[in-house]
């Protein structure tokens, strides 16, 4: 009897959660997959999780003055943005352009190993992330400068020569 009750309570609870989620569900207007898109293409939100990781690695690399890694990660991020823009063609071009412009300026600081410029340019990149999220209707996804590394299995110190 107790088990039946528990199952009923759980079902009611899930139904209520579903209702709440339904009421608040937000779908970014340009995150919809185009019909002709191949099934093998990742969801935009999954691409974004990869971008989130790279954003963190890029910060750790610059803060550790591991410039080759920072350069590598900045290129990876650029590629991910271009892929997202190519697949999800309804992403407004100016939001992607703002992000790649911020990345280009950051890449310059990296190329000249300019640590003083790295932090403010990284902040500009982060602002471009958030500006696009607001314009996409997912302003609740707020990106900031990482405080610590989320990765305990990667060293960010420059590799010994
Ligand atoms: C050109 C627009 C655009 C830019 C620039 C952008 N994003 Fe996003 N981001 C989106 C959209 C749209 C979504 C929602 C995707 C969805 O729900 O399908 C999203 C979602 C996310 C999510 C949530 C993913 C999840 O499944 O929880 C994260 C994290 C994220 N972005 C990180 C970033 C970071 C970090 C940057 C900057 C380095 C960035 N984004 C730049 C458009 C953008």
């Amino acid at each position: 009897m107790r088990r039946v009750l528990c199952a009923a309570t759980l079902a009611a609870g899930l139904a209520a959660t579903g209702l709440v989620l339904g009421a608040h569900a937000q779908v970014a207007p340009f995150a919809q997959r185009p019909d002709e898109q191949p099934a093998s293409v990742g969801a935009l939100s999954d691409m974004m999780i990869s971008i989130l990781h790279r954003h963190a690695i890029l910060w750790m690399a610059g803060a550790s003055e591991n410039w080759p890694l920072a350069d590598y990660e900045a290129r990876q991020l650029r590629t991910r943005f271009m892929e997202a823009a190519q697949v999800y063609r309804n992403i407004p071009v100016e939001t992607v352009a703002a992000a790649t412009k911020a990345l280009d300026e950051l890449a310059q600081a990296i190329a000249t190993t300019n640590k003083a410029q790295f932090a403010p340019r990284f902040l500009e990149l982060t602002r471009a992330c958030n500006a696009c999220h607001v314009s996409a209707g997912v302003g609740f996804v707020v990106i900031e400068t990482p405080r610590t590394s989320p990765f305990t299995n990667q060293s960010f110190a420059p590799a010994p020569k």
Side-chain angles (χ1 to χ4, degrees), residues 26-32 43-56 77 81 84-85 88 91-100 103 122 125-133 135-138 140-144:
Q26 287 216 35
V27 178
F30 48 78
Q32 307 280 349
L44 182 58
S45 57
D46 292 340
M47 291 184 185
M48 284 293 155
I49 292 293
S50 157
I51 286 175
L52 179 73
H53 286 177
R54 294 180 191 287
H55 178 262
L77 260 183
F81 277 135
Y88 292 90
I91 292 182
V93 73
E94 60 279 5
T95 56
V96 183
T100 50
L103 252 181
F122 186 87
L125 171 65
T126 306
R127 286 198 178 124
C129 306
N130 290 327
C132 187
H133 292 164
S135 78
V138 289
F140 49 83
V141 180
V142 181
I143 307 302
E144 59 181 20

Side-chain angles (χ1 to χ4, degrees), residues 6 9 12 24 40-41 44 53 57 63-64 70 74-75 91 97 109 120 124 130 134 136 138:
C6 280
T9 314
H24 292 279
S40 60
V41 171
L44 182 58
H53 286 177
I57 296 173
S64 312
R75 286 170 199 271
I91 292 182
E124 284 310 311
N130 290 327
V134 169
V138 289

Side-chain angles (χ1 to χ4, degrees), residues 4-153:
V4 172
L5 258 184
C6 280
T9 314
L10 186 66
L14 284 178
T17 315
L19 278 179
V20 171
L21 283 177
H24 292 279
Q26 287 216 35
V27 178
F30 48 78
Q32 307 280 349
R33 283 169 182 246
D35 290 342
E36 70 276 11
Q37 186 185 305
S40 60
V41 171
L44 182 58
S45 57
D46 292 340
M47 291 184 185
M48 284 293 155
I49 292 293
S50 157
I51 286 175
L52 179 73
H53 286 177
R54 294 180 191 287
H55 178 262
I57 296 173
L58 179 53
W59 170 257
M60 294 310 300
S64 312
E65 297 188 61
N66 185 342
W67 303 116
L69 177 61
D71 175 62
Y72 172 83
E73 238 24 92
R75 286 170 199 271
Q76 293 283 354
L77 260 183
R78 184 173 233 289
T79 305
R80 295 290 98 70
F81 277 135
M82 298 320 285
E83 277 171 6
Q86 271 162 15
V87 173
Y88 292 90
R89 294 192 174 245
N90 43 356
I91 292 182
V93 73
E94 60 279 5
T95 56
V96 183
T100 50
K101 181 170 174 279
L103 252 181
D104 288 346
E105 286 170 3
L106 183 60
Q108 262 188 345
I110 294 168
T112 54
T113 66
N114 190 331
K115 198 179 180 191
Q117 274 183 358
F118 181 81
R121 292 192 178 178
F122 186 87
L123 193 62
E124 284 310 311
L125 171 65
T126 306
R127 286 198 178 124
C129 306
N130 290 327
C132 187
H133 292 164
V134 169
S135 78
V138 289
F140 49 83
V141 180
V142 181
I143 307 302
E144 59 181 20
T145 301
R147 271 168 251 141
T148 55
S149 166
F151 302 100
T152 54
N153 56 349

